[in-house]
Amino acid sequence: MEKFILASGSPRRRELLESMGLDFKVMVSDADENIADAEAVPAPIYVQELALIKAAAVSAQAPKGSVIIAADTIVTIDSDIMGKPADEEEAYLMLKALSGRSHEVYTGICVMRKSDGKTCCRSVKTEVVFKTLSDKRIYEYINTKEPMDKAGAYGIQGKGALLIKEIRGDYQNVVGLSVSELADMLEDEFDIDILNV
């Protein structure tokens, strides 16, 4: 029986794993997530590298027999990566840039089995279209404090849903983890049948 470990402190990822029926414990990675020449790395590879860094850091402290699941989510617009805003001013600039436009959300997923070091990383892309937002609406949203710990300065599972016109692709990927893709990875690469765990 595998011992699953989520290498993330994200409450949203925790809820998504719980929705899959997985029994897991949380171990938060303290790895340095700075990637040299990050601007030169394509977004799908960038998020996979970040997820791999988290998985490897947690694997070093994880018990034997663990299967580590790590993820990282970014927002891109015009090929520019948006992480979490540093402050309210940066949140405003991010939301202003997203207003009335479509952007991509990439989540990198990494699964690592400690017993033999087998590792699989993939990324999932979802396109999100924002409504055109007035400055008043942007500041009202920032005042909820919701944008401050979210890539791209919004949370689709919260009040950020009010800013969105359309989603093309996997909704859960925008929340922070494509459970469908994770299930495929566990089944295809690790012979773990999620419906019978």
Side-chain angles (χ1 to χ4, degrees), residues 64-83:
K64 286 181 184 175
S66 298
V67 175
I68 297 108
I69 298 165
D72 199 90
T73 302
I74 59 168
V75 168
T76 66
I77 189 164
D78 300 329
S79 300
D80 292 330
I81 294 172
M82 289 185 172

Side-chain angles (χ1 to χ4, degrees), residues 75-80 82 93-105 126-133 154 163-168:
V75 168
T76 66
I77 189 164
D78 300 329
S79 300
D80 292 330
M82 289 185 172
L93 293 172
M94 287 182 176
L95 292 164
K96 191 73 173 170
L98 297 174
S99 174
R101 302 190 55 204
S102 88
H103 63 273
E104 296 77 38
V105 177
T126 304
E127 189 177 349
V128 179
V129 183
F130 258 41
K131 297 175 182 175
T132 300
L133 307 176
Y154 74 94
L163 314 178
I164 291 164
K165 181 178 180 182
E166 186 179 352
I167 300 169
R168 300 177 193 131

Side-chain angles (χ1 to χ4, degrees), residues 62-187:
K64 286 181 184 175
S66 298
V67 175
I68 297 108
I69 298 165
D72 199 90
T73 302
I74 59 168
V75 168
T76 66
I77 189 164
D78 300 329
S79 300
D80 292 330
I81 294 172
M82 289 185 172
K84 297 173 184 175
D87 52 32
E88 290 186 357
E89 183 180 345
E90 190 173 13
Y92 169 81
L93 293 172
M94 287 182 176
L95 292 164
K96 191 73 173 170
L98 297 174
S99 174
R101 302 190 55 204
S102 88
H103 63 273
E104 296 77 38
V105 177
Y106 290 92
T107 297
I109 307 168
C110 184
V111 179
M112 183 178 288
R113 186 167 55 204
K114 181 151 182 176
S115 61
D116 61 1
K118 178 167 182 166
T119 303
C120 176
C121 297
R122 296 182 186 172
S123 66
V124 179
K125 176 178 109 171
T126 304
E127 189 177 349
V128 179
V129 183
F130 258 41
K131 297 175 182 175
T132 300
L133 307 176
S134 66
D135 281 0
K136 180 175 182 285
R137 177 47 61 106
I138 290 173
Y139 284 120
E140 285 171 346
Y141 181 57
I142 290 169
N143 287 339
T144 70
K145 304 298 181 199
E146 190 176 273
M148 301 319 296
D149 67 338
K150 314 280 192 312
Y154 74 94
I156 198 168
Q157 72 287 350
K159 292 187 169 91
L162 306 176
L163 314 178
I164 291 164
K165 181 178 180 182
E166 186 179 352
I167 300 169
R168 300 177 193 131
D170 187 331
Y171 167 82
Q172 291 173 325
N173 185 56
V174 185
V175 175
L177 180 66
S178 169
V179 296
S180 175
E181 188 68 31
L182 175 59
D184 288 350
M185 292 168 73
L186 291 171
E187 193 162 307

